[in-house]
Amino acid sequence: MPQGVHRSLSAWRIATWGVLTLHFVLLAAALPHYRASVDSAYHVAMARQYGEHGIYYWDAIHYAPAHRPNLQGPAMHMVLGCLGRIFGGRGDDYILANAVMGLACWTTAMFTAVCFARREAGDVAGLLAAAVLSGGVQAAASFSMNLPVYWMFLATCWAIYFFLQGATVVSAILLSLACYCHLAGFVTAPAGMFVAAMLSPAARPYRRLVVALAIAAVLTAAYWVHVLRWLPWYVGTKADTAWWIDPLTALFWLEGVVYALRAPRRHALGLAFAAAPVVWIAQDTSRFILLSALPGAVMGSIAVTHTLEKIADARRRSIATAAIAYVATVFPLGIPALAGEILWLVKPYPVLVDFAEMRADAEVIQRHGLEDRMVQGYTSYVGSALAIWDDITVEKGHWVEVQPPVDPSETLSVAEKTYVLAISPDDAALSEWTARGWITNFGGGQWSSVLRFDRRPTLGETQAIRRETWAREAAWLAEHARHNTIGNYFRIVFDPGELSRRREQQLETRTRITRMQIAEMLYAYAIEPSDAARAQSLRDDARALGWLAALEGDEMTLDYRSLWAHAQLISGMRRLATAAASGADIDQPFRKMLDPYLHATRGHVLSTAPKL
């Protein structure tokens, strides 16, 4: 090979390492305050239990008082638990361990993409794969967070690779690891390997596939037998998610698939990678899109490299390659990961889980010895986050796919729980209700409070409080609530006051909805002795208002609802405010407002509503 070609290849390798090192340094600098997914609270809480108990087949935190079998893949939780113990065994140590593993997951994903792109099409493809996968904020951020599904998919990719290489035993071991990482590994990994067998040019691929599956079945028996035993508890529905897409990554995926289908046997590896996450479309299409980023980067880079090779002039070819890598890194047709990583170090946004706030609430619970009753958070992740620092049990909770067939918590009185709600401890309305002896306010963080309901108010008092509160707060929300969206990201970057304005607006929105929630709980508490069924319905409404507060005010729920859905909510708030102020019936306009907005909530928020 000519010497100039060697220098060119070396330059592309250096560029690849340069792009990845830049991202790695920025992510590593954020380790003391690392970005976390909303799911991270659950995974860290579960990892703490593995770290302290070694094994954790029964989830004694969530869905109290019945609790539930732990059907989540144990591999990541075990490793995270061991790492947290090594770091010190305190709540913050497990959070740091989660950050370290998140960085390791990102590094593994980038190595995987570059390795397979280079293997198929050389150093140019390796550079493009690195730039595309690390450049889009959604794909890069997803792989940089320590979530079992991404470890599962990475193990799946390597299982497919070794299967195509004829290393059946190694492939079976990695297939087993994928299953132990995530329950969906039992479907995702075999699907990818089946496509690999279909396209494999080697002899007797189906026989080797059966052998690999048989070995994996033996190795994972402890897990799948446990799952089958408790299968009736698995409802399989997903909670709310937002659909965010990296345009350039999607384009690379489309081009890569089209290119690979022209010669499917030659590109068996890439097509098997692409086929594995297809099974997610049935349950969570947004997760399919995120998982597809890696095969998209690999196959798209191979296709683009093939196109670049048609440029006869070496200089023009190099300029075109550098330009594509630059665009993928700096402006990948959407929000660049690089901007998000830099912004996080300057002014973190979006904060999906406010660990500092949750730590403050957990300390309040510990200080006042409030672990004797189950905790109800205003939204699903709150209980898990508190369990990182304190031994508590929570009502409902995260990972809603597994639930008790009958949940006894739904029949418990308002007064039988401890609440962590999205309202400041010094809120004026809360102080008024506390002064009346209805509520004990134990304190909390900056924007959340730990509460208990004490003296039962009269029905007349709560009817008046409910109507008065709803009239006031719904009117404000109808006029001032804004769509909870990431919106113009660049305004956050370049306008120094934009982020603080957003957060003040969302904090006020969340607070006012929480006042409506507390008023509903007071009403439910008052009516419990005379109408148990009605009281349960009202407690459901209060729980739904807590989720509404999260949807409208949390950074974890950015773009969970469309602008159209938000506009419908505002119209409903306006009708509710008018009805409450005029003395008309408020239940009908409230339900008419709430039902459509919560219809996309697939996590069984309401006990009395049809299971969605």
Side-chain angles (χ1 to χ4, degrees):
M1 187 176 289
Q3 186 177 357
V5 175
H6 276 296
R7 278 201 301 269
S8 176
L9 292 179
S10 178
W12 297 133
R13 292 176 190 174
I14 292 172
T16 301
W17 284 108
V19 168
L20 295 181
T21 299
L22 175 61
H23 288 289
F24 183 89
V25 169
L26 292 172
L27 290 171
L31 280 178
H33 179 44
Y34 199 71
R35 289 183 298 180
S37 161
V38 66
D39 294 333
S40 298
Y42 167 76
H43 294 304
V44 176
M46 297 298 284
R48 178 189 165 217
Q49 298 304 315
Y50 278 96
E52 294 184 356
H53 303 294
I55 199 68
Y56 200 61
Y57 283 132
W58 187 263
D59 182 357
I61 298 173
H62 304 90
Y63 285 88
H67 297 302
R68 64 182 179 182
N70 178 18
L71 304 186
Q72 183 68 251
M76 192 201 81
H77 291 161
M78 283 184 169
V79 175
L80 179 55
C82 291
L83 196 58
R85 284 295 297 270
I86 292 171
F87 286 172
R90 298 176 299 273
D92 289 336
D93 298 319
Y94 289 102
I95 292 174
L96 176 60
N98 185 68
V100 170
M101 285 191 66
L103 184 56
C105 185
W106 180 90
T107 304
T108 305
M110 298 305 149
F111 170 79
T112 300
V114 172
C115 176
F116 292 126
R118 283 188 61 202
R119 179 182 178 277
E120 296 293 322
D123 289 324
V124 169
L127 169 61
L128 296 181
V132 169
L133 188 59
S134 66
V137 69
Q138 306 310 328
S142 297
F143 279 105
S144 70
M145 294 176 185
N146 187 37
L147 299 179
V149 66
Y150 296 108
W151 286 112
M152 178 274 294
F153 189 62
L154 291 171
T156 296
C157 290
W158 285 98
I160 292 169
Y161 168 74
F162 281 106
F163 176 78
L164 288 172
Q165 293 299 304
T168 305
V169 175
V170 176
S171 177
I173 293 172
L174 288 164
L175 170 58
S176 302
L177 178 60
C179 297
Y180 275 118
C181 283
H182 196 286
L183 185 58
F186 285 105
V187 181
T188 304
M193 292 179 66
F194 178 75
V195 172
M198 288 177 59
L199 301 177
S200 174
R204 298 183 294 184
Y206 293 105
R207 178 181 177 182
R208 290 192 296 106
L209 177 61
V210 170
V211 171
L213 293 176
I215 294 172
V218 173
L219 294 178
T220 60
Y223 186 20
W224 60 258
V225 168
H226 175 65
V227 171
L228 290 178
R229 179 187 178 189
W230 298 103
L231 195 58
W233 293 59
Y234 185 79
V235 297
T237 53
K238 276 289 294 178
D240 266 326
T241 53
W243 284 36
W244 291 343
I245 299 175
D246 292 315
L248 187 60
T249 305
L251 286 174
F252 263 58
W253 187 90
L254 288 170
E255 183 171 358
V257 169
V258 171
Y259 175 75
L261 287 174
R262 295 174 183 172
R265 291 193 178 276
R266 179 182 172 187
H267 300 287
L269 184 67
L271 288 173
F273 284 1
V278 168
V279 297
W280 282 87
I281 294 177
Q283 190 200 37
D284 188 353
T285 308
S286 62
R287 188 61 58 88
F288 160 74
I289 293 170
L290 291 173
L291 289 177
S292 295
L294 191 150
V298 172
M299 293 194 302
S301 297
I302 294 169
V304 171
T305 300
H306 176 76
T307 301
L308 290 170
E309 288 173 350
K310 297 178 181 179
I311 302 176
D313 185 78
R315 185 170 179 272
R316 290 182 179 179
R317 187 166 60 248
S318 296
I319 291 173
T321 301
I324 295 172
Y326 177 80
V327 169
T329 302
V330 178
F331 188 68
L333 308 184
I335 299 173
L338 192 62
E341 290 157 6
I342 294 172
L343 180 65
W344 186 263
L345 297 174
V346 178
K347 45 182 178 182
Y349 180 83
V351 178
L352 303 186
V353 180
D354 191 341
F355 282 125
E357 187 75 9
M358 296 296 100
R359 184 195 303 111
D361 291 328
E363 290 172 350
V364 169
I365 292 174
Q366 287 178 323
R367 187 163 57 249
H368 293 278
L370 302 177
E371 299 92 344
D372 59 326
R373 302 183 192 180
M374 74 173 65
V375 175
Q376 179 180 324
Y378 76 97
T379 191
S380 61
Y381 82 89
V382 171
S384 297
L386 297 172
I388 295 172
W389 291 276
D390 196 9
D391 293 322
I392 61 170
T393 62
V394 304
E395 181 186 32
K396 302 199 180 290
H398 217 71
W399 202 47
V400 297
E401 287 95 327
V402 179
Q403 302 179 16
V406 177
D407 189 348
S409 70
E410 295 171 350
T411 62
L412 295 180
S413 167
V414 169
E416 293 183 75
K417 307 167 190 174
T418 297
Y419 298 86
V420 177
L421 303 182
I423 189 168
S424 172
D426 58 3
D427 180 77
L430 178 60
S431 298
E432 177 187 344
W433 296 328
T434 301
R436 295 193 184 195
W438 297 338
I439 297 172
T440 298
N441 181 358
F442 296 98
Q446 294 183 343
W447 53 263
S448 59
S449 298
V450 180
L451 310 172
R452 275 196 181 174
F453 288 76
D454 291 322
R455 183 177 67 83
R456 193 190 304 271
T458 67
L459 189 56
E461 288 174 321
T462 56
Q463 285 175 327
I465 287 292
R466 182 187 187 224
R467 183 175 295 277
E468 180 183 302
T469 302
W470 283 20
R472 180 180 64 249
E473 307 306 347
W476 186 95
L477 291 163
E479 294 300 320
H480 302 289
R482 298 291 177 263
H483 181 216
N484 193 17
T485 177
I486 200 165
N488 188 336
Y489 188 84
F490 296 98
R491 186 178 297 165
I492 299 171
V493 177
F494 297 110
D495 183 348
E498 173 66 13
L499 185 54
S500 60
R501 286 193 296 269
R502 283 192 181 200
R503 284 178 166 161
E504 288 174 8
Q505 170 72 28
Q506 298 309 97
L507 176 63
E508 185 70 15
T509 298
R510 187 169 53 195
T511 298
R512 289 180 179 272
I513 298 175
T514 303
R515 290 174 187 159
M516 296 175 67
Q517 179 188 16
I518 295 175
E520 187 76 343
M521 281 194 274
L522 286 170
Y523 184 44
Y525 190 23
I527 208 173
E528 281 175 356
S530 58
D531 192 341
R534 171 70 170 149
Q536 180 172 339
S537 177
L538 293 169
R539 291 193 298 266
D540 281 337
D541 290 343
R543 191 183 302 112
L545 282 166
W547 181 227
L548 180 62
L551 287 170
E552 287 294 300
D554 280 5
E555 290 174 21
M556 72 153 183
T557 55
L558 292 171
D559 293 299
Y560 271 39
R561 292 294 183 271
S562 67
L563 181 60
W564 179 86
H566 176 74
Q568 294 297 108
L569 176 70
I570 294 306
S571 298
M573 284 289 182
R574 188 171 289 113
R575 290 190 295 270
L576 179 61
T578 300
S582 66
D585 173 65
I586 58 177
D587 289 316
Q588 192 271 340
F590 172 69
R591 181 54 55 192
K592 189 174 181 179
M593 172 194 74
L594 203 61
D595 281 348
Y597 197 72
L598 294 185
H599 181 70
T601 302
R602 293 161 284 170
H604 300 192
V605 168
L606 309 180
S607 67
T608 55
K611 300 299 186 184
L612 301 177

